[in-house]
Amino acid sequence: MMRTGQTTSAAAEMYENFFIPALFGEWPPKLVDRLALEPGMRAVDVACGTGILTVEMAGAVNPGGEVVGIDLNPRMLNIARRKVPGIDWREAPAERLPLPDSAFDAVFCQFGLMFFEDRRTSLSEMWRVLAPGGRICVAVWDALEKTPGYASVTAHVADMFGEQFAEPLRLPYSLGDPALVRAEFTEAGIEECVVERADGRARFESVRSWMETEIRGWSLSRSITDARFDELVERVSTDLAEFTETDGTVEFDHGALVATATLTPAAS
């Protein structure tokens, strides 16, 4: 799914078992509905990760359809193949899709664009493989300031450990402005792009379990002491008290920007 992070088998499993139910699980039906997939269609999922969206796409286009899931990370794809061996999973960068021109009715990219080395080339590649009349759907996270949980965590990590540790937390929200998304599409040669905000929610069992995975298990790994970790948990817990249930579950807004465009058939 992304260029940095998720590079080990353990990290890929963490993504599958923790972050998909917490952040990504609600989005595949929403995105598939955007392009109204039907049986017999051909569709590709770029930066498919462990395949949560790809599987939803396959359910919509079958019988008779075709789905390809593409990701740069072989460990993500290993999990995807293990879950659903019947899908065409391919290892490749988004900047060089191993697909023919004008071959697909729909191209999706769910929360991957922010991490690509060359976003505009990646979008151009997605556009290239679309058949006339085909549609593209790209989702990115909305702005960090509209995401209370991650805004809190990022601010406290920056304050306690420095900006170099906070920057990876900011990166997923780096396209959280419709104007930025439109600019990327325009530079890629996709002129008629519609960008809409879509509501979503993040859900974690507790602030502590979330920080164990997000910070101790991921962003700061082994470089955080128990005392500093406890301080971070306390700070974030205080900030998010209004979003926390009596059982400790924490849930907050975590919306997206969804960009769609249609490749208009050339006039005869």
Side-chain angles (χ1 to χ4, degrees):
M1 176 184 170
M2 59 181 69
R3 290 290 192 265
T4 57
Q6 306 162 8
T7 56
T8 67
S9 295
E13 293 285 352
M14 184 188 300
Y15 173 88
E16 169 72 10
N17 297 323
F18 187 84
F19 288 105
I20 282 186
L23 301 177
F24 302 105
E26 68 181 307
W27 290 100
K30 296 179 180 180
L31 299 187
V32 167
D33 284 348
R34 293 262 174 171
L35 297 195
L37 294 188
E38 297 178 353
M41 284 186 170
R42 302 157 296 169
V44 59
D45 183 11
V46 179
C48 66
T50 58
I52 184 173
L53 173 59
T54 327
V55 172
E56 185 80 18
M57 293 160 55
V61 304
N62 286 316
E66 176 188 358
V67 169
V68 179
I70 296 176
D71 201 278
L72 183 65
N73 190 323
R75 294 168 181 84
M76 292 285 195
L77 291 174
N78 287 341
I79 295 175
R81 292 189 182 102
R82 186 178 72 214
K83 292 193 303 182
V84 188
I87 288 177
D88 184 0
W89 305 106
R90 303 190 193 184
E91 181 183 341
E95 295 85 356
R96 296 187 302 278
L97 298 179
L99 302 170
D101 295 351
S102 307
F104 292 87
D105 303 299
V107 176
F108 290 85
C109 182
Q110 175 177 273
F111 306 121
L113 183 65
M114 305 83 73
F115 305 103
F116 295 161
E117 290 179 356
D118 188 335
R119 296 168 181 169
R120 292 164 190 177
T121 296
S122 300
L123 287 169
S124 295
E125 278 288 276
M126 297 181 212
W127 200 239
R128 174 185 65 80
V129 305
L130 273 182
R135 301 185 69 199
I136 186 173
C137 178
V138 175
V140 301
W141 294 123
D142 205 349
L144 182 61
E145 58 266 24
K146 296 183 179 179
T147 308
Y150 278 96
S152 170
V153 174
T154 303
H156 290 303
V157 167
D159 180 57
M160 294 174 65
F161 306 102
E163 279 295 333
Q164 70 271 30
F165 292 106
E167 189 56 33
L169 293 168
R170 299 188 198 281
L171 181 58
Y173 308 95
S174 59
L175 287 177
D177 180 336
L180 293 177
V181 178
R182 292 190 192 97
E184 296 285 359
F185 271 67
T186 299
E187 289 294 328
I190 307 171
E191 296 292 343
E192 300 297 327
C193 166
V194 176
V195 182
E196 299 175 302
R197 284 192 164 88
D199 293 335
R201 301 286 286 176
R203 301 172 181 86
F204 297 99
E205 181 180 323
S206 67
V207 170
R208 180 168 290 273
S209 67
W210 172 26
M211 292 299 97
E212 283 281 1
T213 303
E214 183 87 48
I215 302 302
R216 178 170 265 166
W218 196 285
S219 301
L220 292 178
S221 189
R222 301 179 185 277
S223 61
I224 182 171
T225 65
D226 289 346
R228 295 288 270 170
F229 177 76
D230 288 342
E231 180 184 352
L232 177 63
V233 171
E234 179 61 29
R235 288 190 182 197
V236 175
S237 297
T238 298
D239 284 354
L240 300 186
E242 66 180 291
F243 303 104
T244 305
E245 302 296 330
T246 55
D247 64 355
T249 302
V250 60
E251 180 176 331
F252 51 84
D253 289 341
H254 200 260
L257 302 179
V258 181
T260 56
T262 301
L263 179 59
T264 305
S268 57

